[in-house]
Amino acid sequence: MMTMKLFLIAFVFTCLVSGIVSSRSVLSDLENDAVSAKPFSSPQPIMVNLTLIQGADSKGAVCLDGTLPGYHLDSGFGSGANSWLIHLEGGGWCDTVRNCVYRKRTRRGSSKYMENQIQFTGILSNKAEENPDFYNWNRVKLRYCDGASFSGDSENESAELQFRGQKIWLAAVEELMSKGMQEANQALLSGCSAGGLASIIHCDEFQSLFPNSTKVKCLSDAGFFIDAADVSGGRTLRSLFEGVVQLQEVQKNLPKSCLNQQDATSCFFPQNIVQHLETPLFLLNAAYDAWQVLASLAPPSADPLGFWSDCRSNHANCNSSQIQFLQDFRNQMLDDVKNFSNSSESGLFINSCFSHCQSERQETWFADDSPLIGDKPIAIAVGDWYFDREAVKSIDCAYPCGNNCHNLVFN
């Protein structure tokens, strides 16, 4: 199985370099198919069934291809019976009609291709030894099938594409409220990658669902995408985000306070959203986010001669000038979170790893060799912050710092 996975990654990466396949249409899947440089084995996790949101189509809440959106719910128990964790799935974006048509033939754009069951690990685990603070909560994974971080609201009739991320979000929230979330005394909105960006965009909206007596906070994992120059001096990610915003009319659902000051594309970047949030937010990010290195900083389109090909697939192959470029990226990230971190309610865990989506993976969330800053793993840091046990503003020193990293390698 691992041999086949390595073959598929190698094939996709070769196609990217040669230009056969659009990087924007397939890189979203690499975040789940990358191989950790530190293998991990764990007990068999719980498998949770897919639930389609019946009647969502009557509200216009559909995936790119018009199919019903879905989620996976594992009910809480004991002291967590009235606590809810909503986790928004990630998976890149689509910024052109062509890429969205490609996407609607995958699980990222159609519930027809979604797994009927998925594993709940990391922050979704139901085992106290794997997820000490949230294991007995109602845990939900909302599937991602719109391509704009649950934030678009438009359509393209000629290509038979529905861009209804915002409506999917609203339909899912309405259904979960009817299943008991309206009685929640504690709630956490989390998300990974594009879902991590969505958890920032929808954070205040999530809080508004509940009375003031409910403890509501948000967690963004690997969602702090920054407006950085790529290795050619261009703006690969800004170009991508501009296409997403325009195609899917995301500006309708971005913070008005941001839009009053900046253009819509800028307001899709987390660095420009977080300062407008009123709800407590925790940023969990690798300082050298593997997806941003691969797809935003050094994509094949910005590196036609392949100077970065070895480095972007494995940081151990980077030369000194490439490492310095990545250090500059880290410095920009730290600069962008400086004002955010001054808030007494904000939380930070920025480790010096080449990783992505660390809350979903058991080995990075909470395990014997999971990443640490000081002596604290991610799960304990997030729990300490959520339950106000102590302030958490953890930023590791620069690479090669990074205690127990599970770095991702793209072979």
Side-chain angles (χ1 to χ4, degrees), residues 62-125:
V62 292
C63 298
L64 287 173
D65 69 338
T67 54
L68 294 174
Y71 63 90
H72 304 257
L73 164 64
D74 188 41
S75 297
F77 56 93
S79 62
N82 287 324
S83 298
W84 286 75
L85 167 66
I86 311 302
H87 186 76
L88 305 179
E89 185 180 33
W93 308 269
C94 62
D95 64 325
T96 66
V97 169
R98 179 182 178 184
N99 286 344
C100 291
V101 167
Y102 169 89
R103 190 182 182 93
K104 77 174 184 176
R105 302 190 189 107
T106 75
R107 70 186 190 277
R108 303 297 192 203
S110 171
S111 58
K112 288 191 299 186
Y113 302 100
M114 291 178 185
E115 308 91 330
N116 290 324
Q117 288 186 325
I118 62 170
Q119 297 180 349
F120 267 23
T121 58
I123 196 172
L124 295 171
S125 172

Side-chain angles (χ1 to χ4, degrees), residues 282-360:
F282 191 103
L283 294 177
L284 164 61
N285 238 87
Y288 314 94
D289 183 89
W291 188 92
Q292 293 194 62
V293 172
L294 189 71
S296 167
L297 297 180
S301 59
D303 180 40
L305 299 181
F307 178 70
W308 276 80
S309 59
D310 290 338
C311 173
R312 69 170 157 254
S313 61
N314 185 347
H315 73 281
N317 297 327
C318 298
N319 61 36
S320 58
S321 66
Q322 290 169 330
I323 289 294
Q324 185 55 55
F325 181 88
L326 298 177
Q327 300 292 21
D328 292 342
F329 171 75
R330 172 184 178 271
N331 291 337
Q332 182 179 342
M333 178 181 292
L334 298 186
D335 191 54
D336 287 339
V337 302
K338 191 173 296 182
N339 289 335
F340 166 82
S341 66
N342 289 333
S343 166
S344 61
E345 294 188 323
S346 65
L348 281 176
F349 192 103
I350 299 179
N351 53 4
S352 293
C353 300
F354 292 79
S355 190
H356 191 68
C357 288
Q358 298 178 92
S359 66
E360 293 183 348

Side-chain angles (χ1 to χ4, degrees), residues 79 146 155 157 160 173 179 311 318 341 351 385:
S79 62
D146 65 275
E155 65 181 323
E157 291 186 17
E160 297 182 332
V173 163
K179 291 198 167 187
C311 173
C318 298
S341 66
N351 53 4
W385 165 80

Side-chain angles (χ1 to χ4, degrees), residues 1-299:
M1 183 67 181
M2 183 60 71
T3 302
M4 177 59 70
K5 183 175 283 189
L6 291 173
F7 170 78
L8 289 172
I9 294 171
F11 171 75
V12 169
F13 194 79
T14 301
C15 290
L16 290 175
V17 174
S18 62
I20 296 173
V21 182
S22 166
S23 62
R24 292 176 180 176
S25 61
V26 299
L27 275 174
S28 61
D29 289 323
L30 288 184
E31 67 191 36
N32 290 325
D33 294 335
V35 179
S36 173
K38 189 183 293 187
F40 176 82
S41 60
S42 64
Q44 184 62 35
I46 184 175
M47 302 297 293
V48 182
N49 292 330
L50 174 68
T51 299
L52 297 180
I53 304 176
Q54 300 302 322
D57 49 348
S58 67
K59 303 167 187 172
V62 292
C63 298
L64 287 173
D65 69 338
T67 54
L68 294 174
Y71 63 90
H72 304 257
L73 164 64
D74 188 41
S75 297
F77 56 93
S79 62
N82 287 324
S83 298
W84 286 75
L85 167 66
I86 311 302
H87 186 76
L88 305 179
E89 185 180 33
W93 308 269
C94 62
D95 64 325
T96 66
V97 169
R98 179 182 178 184
N99 286 344
C100 291
V101 167
Y102 169 89
R103 190 182 182 93
K104 77 174 184 176
R105 302 190 189 107
T106 75
R107 70 186 190 277
R108 303 297 192 203
S110 171
S111 58
K112 288 191 299 186
Y113 302 100
M114 291 178 185
E115 308 91 330
N116 290 324
Q117 288 186 325
I118 62 170
Q119 297 180 349
F120 267 23
T121 58
I123 196 172
L124 295 171
S125 172
N126 67 334
K127 301 179 179 66
E129 63 272 22
E130 296 180 347
N131 187 23
D133 283 309
F134 308 107
Y135 73 96
N136 64 348
W137 286 29
N138 297 279
R139 287 152 292 107
V140 180
K141 184 166 188 174
L142 180 57
R143 300 305 297 268
Y144 180 38
C145 65
D146 65 275
S149 289
F150 297 92
S151 300
D153 191 8
S154 63
E155 65 181 323
N156 185 299
E157 291 186 17
S158 61
E160 297 182 332
L161 287 167
Q162 294 289 324
F163 305 121
R164 303 300 182 187
Q166 177 70 16
K167 286 184 167 65
I168 292 172
W169 157 256
L170 293 173
V173 163
E174 182 180 354
E175 169 135 334
L176 295 171
M177 293 295 272
S178 73
K179 291 198 167 187
M181 192 168 73
Q182 62 184 357
E183 306 296 333
N185 51 36
Q186 300 180 121
L188 176 63
L189 177 65
S190 71
C192 149
S193 193
L197 170 55
S199 71
I200 296 174
I201 292 172
H202 291 299
C203 185
D204 282 347
E205 193 178 353
F206 185 66
Q207 185 188 50
S208 71
L209 298 170
F210 303 96
N212 292 336
S213 58
T214 304
K215 186 182 190 70
V216 182
K217 296 188 178 184
C218 305
L219 163 66
S220 172
D221 174 12
F224 200 75
F225 301 95
I226 64 175
D227 190 4
D230 60 37
V231 295
S232 71
R235 297 275 172 172
T236 295
L237 190 56
R238 171 165 276 272
S239 174
L240 171 62
F241 276 9
E242 184 176 28
V244 173
V245 169
Q246 290 182 357
L247 180 67
Q248 303 209 31
E249 298 186 21
V250 173
Q251 72 279 359
K252 296 176 182 177
N253 301 303
L254 296 174
K256 298 295 187 292
S257 54
C258 182
L259 294 172
N260 289 337
Q261 300 174 8
Q262 300 185 73
D263 63 273
T265 300
S266 296
C267 291
F268 198 54
F269 278 97
Q271 66 205 69
N272 299 319
I273 303 175
V274 294
Q275 59 188 303
H276 298 278
L277 294 184
E278 298 178 0
T279 309
L281 172 69
F282 191 103
L283 294 177
L284 164 61
N285 238 87
Y288 314 94
D289 183 89
W291 188 92
Q292 293 194 62
V293 172
L294 189 71
S296 167
L297 297 180

